[in-house]
Amino acid sequence: MAIKFTTRLSTENVVPETPITPEVPIGYVHSIETFGSVDGPGIRFVAFLQGCRMRCEFCHNPDTWNIGSGEAYTADELIAKALPYKAFWGKDGGITCSGGESLIQIDFLIDLFKKCKAQRINTCLDTCGQPFTYKEPFFSKFKELMKYTDLSMVDIKHIDPAGHKKLTGFSNEHILEMIEYMSNHGHHMWIRHVLIPERTDYDEYLTRLGDYIQTLNNVDRVEVLPYHTMGIVKYEKMGIKYPLAGIEPPTHDRVVNAERLLHTADYPKQQR
């Protein structure tokens, strides 16, 4: 839940309204958090974009799946909504686009991040990378987006292709291709992994993932995210069967074990 502030808002950084034309990309936003502290460095304005093709068994936001719904924004409108909170960002904070899967709306992301950088706003992309492909026109758009992206937070949901498909409905092939492209082209990443009993919490998988991450360049941080069950209520409200019913969060000892096998302490910018 976003933390709300009552304050007199400055008009100094207000962005002029842009007329909506067919050439102006429109972003569809599920929700906004104005004071995010876990979605990139510093304090951040977080836009959770609508739409995701994967069906992760542990997803706690199934209400973000539908593509094309959500509240419509132009890049200028979203920046104007964010700028009143700029005083809280300090030197590290900025704007994060999460999801759903943010890369589904890549045209909007390019427009938004390009305009953010013109105003010296730090940008962070939160993605699992499933839409990535070397095929055109996506690949050229992705390279353009990376020009304006300061940091990408990338979820590796499962290192094993078969395990990944069981967990999400998709192979991890395109995801690893994106990560390796970013590694080879100087794009900074935080790697995150959700630790799920009976799915990803096996030493064999964790060792393979830890070894894989060590082959990558530009990884500034590795995080283990313990699975939780807080999303179950949404499944109940939406009438969807929860896939991981009966599976409890991992124990503290298993989280510590995962951090050891993923070598989280080895990455140079672990501390915020």
Side-chain angles (χ1 to χ4, degrees), residues 19-271:
I20 298 177
T21 71
E23 291 75 31
V24 176
I26 302 299
Y28 294 92
V29 177
H30 171 268
S31 56
I32 286 171
E33 185 173 358
T34 59
F35 205 77
S37 60
V38 295
D39 299 285
I43 302 301
R44 308 192 72 82
F45 179 95
V46 187
F48 296 92
L49 303 188
Q50 183 70 31
C52 186
R53 295 187 179 94
M54 294 209 300
R55 294 294 181 265
C56 300
E57 291 184 315
F58 60 92
C59 179
H60 57 276
N61 288 312
D63 47 340
T64 66
W65 289 346
N66 289 342
I67 297 173
S69 60
E71 187 171 356
Y73 285 88
T74 65
D76 287 333
E77 288 169 341
L78 194 60
I79 292 172
K81 195 173 184 71
L83 283 177
Y85 304 96
K86 189 175 183 180
F88 300 103
W89 298 346
K91 65 180 180 66
D92 296 324
I95 291 178
T96 294
C97 281
S98 184
E101 171 47 59
S102 50
L103 284 178
I104 286 177
Q105 301 192 48
I106 193 166
D107 292 324
F108 174 72
L109 286 175
I110 292 169
D111 194 35
L112 175 66
F113 280 15
K114 183 176 183 179
K115 289 176 176 177
C116 283
K117 297 316 298 176
Q119 298 192 51
R120 299 182 180 179
I121 296 172
N122 180 276
T123 57
C124 178
L125 174 70
D126 183 0
T127 180
C128 80
Q130 184 275 325
F132 180 84
T133 177
Y134 281 107
K135 295 179 181 179
E136 297 293 355
F138 180 90
F139 185 53
S140 291
K141 292 179 180 181
F142 183 80
K143 290 191 291 183
E144 179 74 7
L145 175 63
M146 288 295 99
K147 294 178 184 178
Y148 313 118
T149 303
D150 292 309
L151 174 71
S152 295
M153 296 193 302
V154 183
D155 296 329
I156 301 181
K157 299 179 186 294
H158 206 304
I159 192 58
D160 183 74
H164 195 282
K165 188 165 186 178
K166 178 181 179 181
L167 186 64
T168 72
F170 288 82
S171 168
N172 60 9
E173 178 184 1
H174 289 180
I175 294 164
L176 300 185
E177 284 180 347
M178 183 196 75
I179 290 170
E180 288 156 21
Y181 173 84
M182 295 169 72
S183 170
N184 293 332
H185 291 83
H187 301 303
H188 286 264
M189 295 176 277
W190 288 3
I191 301 291
R192 303 191 301 179
H193 181 64
V194 180
L195 187 68
I196 312 168
E198 302 181 33
R199 294 295 188 274
T200 63
D201 187 12
Y202 293 99
D203 285 5
E204 175 194 351
Y205 292 145
L206 294 168
T207 299
R208 285 169 58 186
L209 178 57
D211 291 346
Y212 174 74
I213 295 172
Q214 288 190 316
T215 69
L216 302 173
N217 303 311
N218 314 307
V219 175
D220 297 336
R221 184 181 178 98
V222 175
E223 293 182 313
V224 173
L225 306 180
Y227 160 73
H228 62 74
T229 59
M230 290 186 287
I232 291 178
V233 63
K234 291 187 177 182
Y235 285 80
E236 293 172 346
K237 288 181 178 178
M238 296 174 68
I240 303 172
K241 183 179 179 181
Y242 186 64
L244 298 184
I247 294 181
E248 296 297 322
T251 65
H252 174 72
D253 287 347
R254 291 304 297 174
V255 174
V256 171
N257 178 69
E259 290 174 340
R260 177 179 62 83
L261 294 176
L262 298 189
H263 312 286
T264 61
D266 293 349
Y267 292 89
K269 297 181 181 177
Q270 186 72 15
Q271 298 300 321

